[in-house]
Amino acid sequence: MAKDKNAKANTESSIVAEIPSEVVIIPIVNSPIFPGMIAPIILSEDKYTPELDSYLTKNNYVALNLVKFKDFGENSDAVLQEMDEEQVSYEDDTESFPVTSSSDSPKGITPKDIYKVGVLCKVIKKLKLPDGSVNLLVHGMKRYRAVEYIADAPLLVARTEVFNDIHEPDEELDAYTRSVINQVKKLSEINPYFNEEMKLAMLNSPSPGSLADLVAFALSLDVPEAQDFLETLIVKKRFAKLLVYLKREKDVADIQKKITDEVNDKVNKYQREYFLREQLKVIRNELGLDEDDKAKDIKKIKETLEAGGLPEEAKKAAMEELERLESIPDSSPEYNVTRTYLNWMVQLPWNAATDDKVDIESAKKMLEKDHYGLEKPKERIMEFLAVRKLKPEYDGTILCLAGPPGVGKTSLGHSIAKALGRKFYRFSLGGMKDEAEIKGHRRTYVGAMPGKIIQALKRVEVNNPVIMLDEIDKIGKSYQGDPASALLEVLDPEQNKTFIDNYLDVPFDLSKVLFIATANYVGEIPEALLDRMELIDLSGYTIEEKLSIATKWVIPKQLKKHGLVSKEFSLGAPVLKALVSDYAREPGVRVMEQMVAKLCRRAALEKVSNKKFKKFAPAVADLEKYLGPKRFETDMAQKPLQPGIVTGLAWTSFGGDILFIETIPLKGRGFKLTGQLGDVMGESANLAYSYVKSILQAQIEEEKALEEKKASKKKVSKKKIDTPATVTAPAVAAPNPEEATDFLAKHEIHLHLPAGATPKDGPSAGITMALALYSLSTNQMVRGDIAMTGELSLTGKVLPVGGIKEKVLAAKRAGIKEIILPWQNEKDLKEVPERHRKGMKFYPVKHFDEVLKIALKSR
């Protein structure tokens, strides 16, 4: 043992003696070289300077020092030397240990940028490569420290101080050594880098310090850790640090193995399933058994595509997807996505259609049977059917049935489909805010599906159904798009021949589909969308029409629905009329149907609970008991009035309605409006107030002029009255115009339209408000059996308004017999059926003077 120690000491002394006192330093960035290691260093042609070549010719020692961590700026891509991926072997004649070494050195490095402690290496071989670079094979000899830098250009030269390992053999050092060897053995089970060669090199290490350096080199430590390890001369401390590094490497290796195992398990599972399926397929083919489910699906889809008669573009897209489907494992999520798309493609009715069977006579009888009244809509539908009979491929405009709720818009759509012999499908657009509901989702989204139009065609299984777009005026708009704009392509006959759904991404011909839209309020439909449709107005029903509808349709339907028969339930004509006028005065029949259903439920209860029950036949007085308090007054015309209150006619989205305009005087001055009036109606009220003041002032001037004429007692021609050019005194003189003018000047007039929670707007109440103000100021009563509508100009002209038919029907329902309307609206009375106008009197007027003559009660 003593001889070995002496031999080792002599060897180290000879090495130290051989090392020159001054050496050239080659900075390296990573992969440090430890004493005892042999590694190649490749210097590119421009890095291997003549000065370095001259130095190596004279001296075969160089020093390798690690560069400190710092940002080298623009020079970070430049290197002084490069270490290739080669085997680095420990100094031993029998064993070698392969490691991967790579390092880069930036240009412009100064002595301040490198660590002082490094490794002195002997250049064993110098080989020039074909690309001009030079390969230096170096052998790490000793740890050293740069004591003094002699030169930094063109070569970095330093004076050296060599170090030896400090270790004293004892039990603690043996324990460290064994612990390190055990840790490496454990790592070798997880990390293939610590293989048999590594373990053999460790057993043949000449000293504990060399063993520690070997393991540290194999761990590929970071630069700060490697430098710290390099500067640790006491072998015991070096082993203590090495155990920490090995423990960390073991933890990382465990986690890496766990992740790798999980990935391998998944991959192996898929591979195993794939191989088993392929084997099963081969076995089935050998035995002549049926194909597997995937092959069946693909075969079935392919046969359907071949026989489905798809357009060329659609068929091409479907076949491309089918090819993709064949290459996708059926366990993959993408398989179901592609298969669902192909199912949509093969299930759509690309060529399936029903034959139109238009029989005009039977269609007319069916419309008369299913719908009472509605002559104009029925006439338009008959025209539509006649054109379809003459030219089945006619691409007419889209029909839009507009009217208040409960007038039969949806049932008319059913009748059209029945008359054509087509399938009917309805979906509501009310509240729809997502454009994808119409044009479908793109297949990149999870849960993507086609839009409502394509879904409807799949359900009806034909490409020429009648599709009803219900509540088109209630369509919404949000950040998800504008569904109304998406409908433009659907409802345009020039565009819908090549309608492209985002999900299908191929054109589908919608020109054969008959679209029917419904709306309550036309004003809410976007103008561009309205331009593509033909409006058919469905006004409300009169009391007489409702009585007929209740007798022929509503009561039989509700009796059947509630398990009753006709002999057990009876509503007499007076009772039915009272029910309609007091509880169901709305334009439609839906509320009336609800009231009849309520009475049927009461009849069913009495039939079940009363053994002596024979027939349910309530009287007029019993309606309040069964239906609650009256919702409307029976006779609106008998409502007591006073000066300043006038009955007007209004149009709403639910049809026509009557309204009372009320005015009262207050202390003070000015004009006050209430009742949720819109801007147009507010301006109309102010205009009426100004006009009434002007005609009262004109009447005062006229009376003064007449008095002056009488006082003069001279025969002169009629004196010109000094009144404004655009305003003349009314033909019906006020009892005392001066007092009336003073009344307006000395009082604050409050004008109100009841039902204050309902917004109101429009100019059609102009003459009504003017008459209320004139009645209040002159203290004259207005007739209670007359209603009116018309816009008032500042000169007293009565201008035309809209909704005449609905307003006439509203007056009829309210029991009003006489109506004042603009003379230009007289032609609109032709739209009102004769039976509705019967018993009513109409006064077409051109000027407000005529309104005063007709509406004011005689004194």
Side-chain angles (χ1 to χ4, degrees):
M1 182 68 69
K3 290 181 180 179
D4 292 340
K5 289 183 179 180
N6 292 333
K8 184 178 179 182
N10 293 332
T11 302
E12 290 181 352
S13 300
S14 62
I15 292 172
V16 171
E18 183 183 351
I19 295 173
S21 59
E22 297 178 1
V23 293
V24 171
I25 297 177
I26 299 179
I28 57 175
V29 175
N30 50 29
S31 297
I33 301 295
F34 290 101
M37 306 298 144
I38 297 176
I41 299 177
I42 298 177
L43 299 177
S44 60
E45 187 176 6
D46 58 333
K47 309 298 187 301
Y48 189 74
T49 61
E51 291 83 3
L52 181 59
D53 183 58
S54 174
Y55 170 80
L56 292 176
T57 303
K58 300 175 184 177
N59 196 340
N60 60 350
Y61 275 89
V62 293
L64 301 180
N65 287 46
L66 285 169
V67 178
K68 298 177 182 177
F69 276 164
K70 65 176 290 186
D71 185 7
F72 293 101
E74 297 178 356
N75 296 326
S76 60
D77 58 342
V79 293
L80 287 174
Q81 56 82 31
E82 299 176 356
M83 297 183 69
D84 195 11
E85 295 187 357
E86 296 288 345
Q87 285 190 341
V88 180
S89 61
Y90 185 79
E91 181 187 10
D92 192 272
D93 295 336
T94 58
E95 301 293 341
S96 63
F97 175 62
V99 295
T100 300
S101 178
S102 174
S103 63
D104 296 324
S105 296
K107 285 183 179 179
I109 292 179
T110 64
K112 294 181 181 179
D113 298 328
I114 61 175
Y115 292 103
K116 288 188 175 182
V117 176
V119 178
L120 286 171
C121 299
K122 186 176 182 180
V123 179
I124 301 174
K125 183 184 286 187
K126 180 175 68 174
L127 179 64
K128 193 162 186 179
L129 301 177
D131 61 352
S133 60
V134 177
N135 186 343
L136 298 180
L137 186 65
V138 298
H139 178 199
M141 305 300 293
K142 288 286 184 179
R143 286 173 169 79
Y144 92 100
R145 181 173 62 189
V147 179
E148 180 184 357
Y149 293 102
I150 299 173
D152 57 1
L155 299 175
L156 183 59
V157 183
R159 204 173 271 118
T160 63
E161 177 186 359
V162 180
F163 299 118
N164 291 320
D165 290 345
I166 302 173
H167 69 277
E168 295 180 1
D170 56 12
E171 293 179 356
E172 187 177 1
L173 184 60
D174 290 342
Y176 272 126
T177 305
R178 290 178 184 178
S179 297
V180 168
I181 294 173
N182 288 335
Q183 288 288 341
V184 172
K185 286 181 179 179
K186 291 179 182 179
L187 273 174
S188 66
E189 299 173 0
I190 303 172
N191 193 339
Y193 191 76
F194 293 93
N195 52 19
E196 292 299 325
E197 290 186 2
M198 172 71 178
K199 289 188 279 187
L200 192 59
M202 291 172 59
L203 293 173
N204 294 325
S205 296
S207 66
S210 299
L211 172 64
D213 290 342
L214 173 64
V215 176
F217 185 79
L219 289 175
S220 299
L221 301 176
D222 294 336
V223 170
E225 292 176 345
Q227 183 63 32
D228 180 55
F229 192 82
L230 192 65
E231 294 177 1
T232 305
L233 301 181
I234 301 175
V235 177
K236 264 188 209 179
K237 291 185 179 179
R238 204 181 299 171
F239 271 108
K241 293 179 180 180
L242 189 61
L243 284 173
V244 175
Y245 300 150
L246 285 170
K247 180 65 171 60
R248 183 183 64 191
E249 187 72 18
K250 175 71 166 52
D251 293 341
V252 173
D254 287 338
I255 296 172
Q256 185 177 359
K257 184 177 183 299
K258 181 181 177 183
I259 295 171
T260 304
D261 290 344
E262 289 177 357
V263 173
N264 289 337
D265 287 344
K266 292 180 181 178
V267 173
N268 291 337
K269 180 183 176 183
Y270 287 130
Q271 288 178 342
R272 183 171 177 271
E273 289 178 357
Y274 176 75
F275 290 137
L276 288 175
R277 286 194 185 92
E278 292 299 318
Q279 290 173 1
L280 183 61
K281 190 185 295 183
V282 173
I283 293 170
R284 284 177 177 273
N285 290 336
E286 290 292 332
L287 296 176
L289 300 177
D290 294 335
E291 298 172 310
D292 60 355
D293 293 338
K294 178 181 176 182
K296 283 181 183 178
D297 281 349
I298 293 174
K299 184 177 180 181
K300 183 179 178 181
I301 292 172
K302 191 169 186 178
E303 290 175 353
T304 311
L305 287 174
E306 293 293 342
L310 275 71
E312 191 62 32
E313 188 173 351
K315 186 175 181 180
K316 181 181 178 183
M319 294 304 290
E320 289 176 356
E321 290 297 320
L322 187 61
E323 290 178 6
R324 289 185 65 248
L325 187 68
E326 291 176 348
S327 62
I328 300 173
D330 54 3
S331 59
S332 172
E334 192 176 354
Y335 177 84
N336 290 326
V337 174
T338 307
R339 186 174 179 273
T340 303
Y341 173 78
L342 287 170
N343 284 340
W344 275 101
M345 293 293 283
V346 299
Q347 291 173 10
L348 283 176
W350 299 92
N351 288 320
T354 54
D355 296 329
D356 287 352
K357 300 176 182 178
V358 182
D359 188 339
I360 297 297
E361 290 301 323
S362 62
K364 185 174 182 181
K365 290 178 182 178
M366 183 181 60
L367 288 174
E368 291 296 335
K369 179 183 175 182
D370 294 344
H371 304 277
Y372 185 84
L374 306 177
E375 281 79 8
K376 195 172 184 66
K378 287 179 184 177
E379 182 181 347
R380 177 62 186 89
I381 291 170
M382 293 303 297
E383 293 172 356
F384 176 81
L385 296 176
V387 174
R388 284 280 177 174
K389 184 175 179 64
L390 294 175
K391 190 176 181 181
E393 67 275 11
Y394 169 69
D395 294 330
T397 56
I398 312 301
L399 300 180
C400 180
L401 306 176
V407 295
K409 299 185 292 296
T410 304
S411 59
L412 268 177
H414 276 283
S415 298
I416 294 172
K418 197 186 300 182
L420 286 170
R422 294 190 182 189
K423 292 188 177 182
F424 180 82
Y425 186 86
R426 170 196 166 275
F427 67 88
S428 177
L429 298 173
M432 186 181 290
K433 295 183 178 180
D434 190 353
E435 183 179 312
E437 293 282 343
I438 302 296
K439 298 199 69 175
H441 304 84
R442 289 179 175 83
R443 275 183 290 155
T444 53
Y445 298 114
V446 176
M449 60 189 306
K452 292 281 189 182
I453 306 297
I454 299 297
Q455 291 180 39
L457 293 173
K458 180 187 174 184
R459 287 188 173 93
V460 298
E461 298 178 345
V462 290
N463 61 7
N464 64 339
V466 175
I467 296 181
M468 175 165 281
L469 307 175
D470 213 0
E471 313 270 355
I472 199 170
D473 58 324
K474 297 178 179 63
I475 196 166
K477 186 176 181 180
S478 71
Y479 68 92
Q480 294 170 312
D482 183 9
S485 298
L487 277 175
L488 295 177
E489 182 182 358
V490 175
L491 299 184
D492 192 338
E494 298 298 326
Q495 298 182 39
N496 61 16
K497 294 179 182 178
T498 55
F499 172 73
I500 296 181
D501 185 275
N502 290 330
Y503 181 82
L504 299 181
D505 202 26
V506 291
F508 194 98
D509 186 4
L510 297 180
S511 61
K512 299 176 183 178
V513 179
L514 173 57
F515 291 101
I516 300 176
T518 69
N520 295 133
Y521 181 46
V522 178
E524 294 292 336
I525 304 175
E527 188 174 346
L529 196 58
L530 187 62
D531 182 59
R532 285 164 167 78
M533 300 186 292
E534 179 182 346
L535 286 176
I536 299 179
D537 289 323
L538 278 72
S539 303
Y541 299 103
T542 61
I543 293 177
E544 291 79 8
E545 289 176 332
K546 286 188 177 182
L547 295 178
S548 299
I549 293 171
T551 305
K552 294 180 180 179
W553 285 281
V554 176
I555 293 178
K557 176 184 174 183
Q558 292 300 324
L559 289 178
K560 183 179 179 180
K561 187 176 180 180
H562 292 84
L564 300 171
V565 294
S566 57
K567 64 179 182 180
E568 297 173 339
F569 186 90
S570 175
L571 290 179
V575 177
L576 202 53
K577 186 175 181 180
L579 183 147
V580 172
S581 59
D582 296 343
Y583 293 92
R585 198 176 286 170
E586 287 81 6
V589 296
R590 190 168 292 144
V591 177
M592 180 184 72
E593 191 172 359
Q594 293 170 0
M595 295 299 171
V596 173
K598 200 171 185 179
L599 293 176
C600 288
R601 292 194 297 271
R602 174 65 67 165
L605 177 61
E606 291 192 7
K607 178 181 178 180
V608 173
S609 59
N610 188 359
K611 294 181 180 180
K612 298 180 181 181
F613 174 82
K614 292 183 180 180
K615 190 175 186 179
F616 182 81
V620 174
D622 297 329
L623 290 180
E624 191 167 350
K625 173 185 174 183
Y626 297 131
L627 302 179
K630 296 178 181 180
R631 297 178 64 233
F632 302 97
E633 292 186 17
T634 304
D635 191 359
M636 298 294 292
Q638 299 302 318
K639 181 177 177 69
L641 300 177
Q642 66 186 41
I645 298 180
V646 182
T647 306
L649 296 174
W651 182 91
T652 69
S653 59
F654 299 101
D657 199 2
I658 68 168
L659 57 89
F660 290 99
I661 293 180
E662 303 173 341
T663 57
I664 60 170
L666 301 170
K667 288 184 179 181
R669 295 182 180 181
F671 187 47
K672 184 178 181 181
L673 298 173
T674 56
Q676 276 213 69
L677 308 186
D679 294 339
V680 176
M681 185 169 273
E683 291 178 356
S684 184
N686 284 304
L687 186 150
Y689 182 75
S690 299
Y691 178 72
V692 170
K693 286 179 69 175
S694 69
I695 60 173
L696 289 174
Q697 292 170 0
Q699 190 172 344
I700 293 172
E701 295 296 332
E702 186 176 0
E703 287 186 358
K704 287 182 179 179
L706 291 174
E707 288 177 1
E708 290 177 1
K709 183 178 178 181
K710 291 178 181 178
S712 64
K713 296 181 181 180
K714 293 181 180 180
K715 294 181 180 181
V716 293
S717 61
K718 188 176 181 181
K719 184 178 180 181
K720 183 180 179 181
I721 302 170
D722 187 16
T723 58
T726 57
V727 179
T728 59
V732 180
N736 195 330
E738 192 168 351
E739 288 183 8
T741 304
D742 291 341
F743 182 87
L744 290 177
K746 294 179 181 179
H747 290 82
E748 179 185 9
I749 306 301
H750 185 170
L751 187 147
H752 176 69
L753 274 73
T758 305
K760 310 168 190 70
D761 202 4
S764 62
I767 63 172
T768 316
M769 290 187 287
L771 182 60
L773 293 169
Y774 189 87
S775 168
L776 179 69
S777 62
T778 59
N779 196 29
Q780 290 180 285
M781 294 281 287
V782 177
R783 291 170 54 189
D785 60 345
I786 195 167
M788 62 198 70
T789 182
E791 181 180 355
L792 179 68
S793 75
L794 198 56
T795 58
K797 294 180 181 179
V798 181
L799 304 178
V801 294
I804 294 297
K805 182 180 179 181
E806 289 81 2
K807 292 174 182 178
V808 171
L809 293 178
K812 181 86 171 179
R813 288 194 299 268
I816 294 174
K817 305 296 183 182
E818 300 184 18
I819 296 177
I820 299 175
L821 73 164
W823 69 276
Q824 289 174 292
N825 286 123
E826 189 175 7
K827 63 182 183 299
D828 297 323
L829 292 175
K830 296 177 183 178
E831 301 291 330
V832 185
E834 177 63 30
R835 64 175 181 274
H836 296 162
R837 288 181 285 160
K838 189 175 180 180
M840 300 188 72
K841 188 175 182 180
F842 300 94
Y843 298 97
V845 297
K846 293 184 178 181
H847 197 273
F848 188 69
D849 281 354
E850 301 172 60
V851 177
L852 295 177
K853 289 179 182 179
I854 299 166
L856 291 177
K857 285 187 175 182
S858 57
R859 294 180 64 87

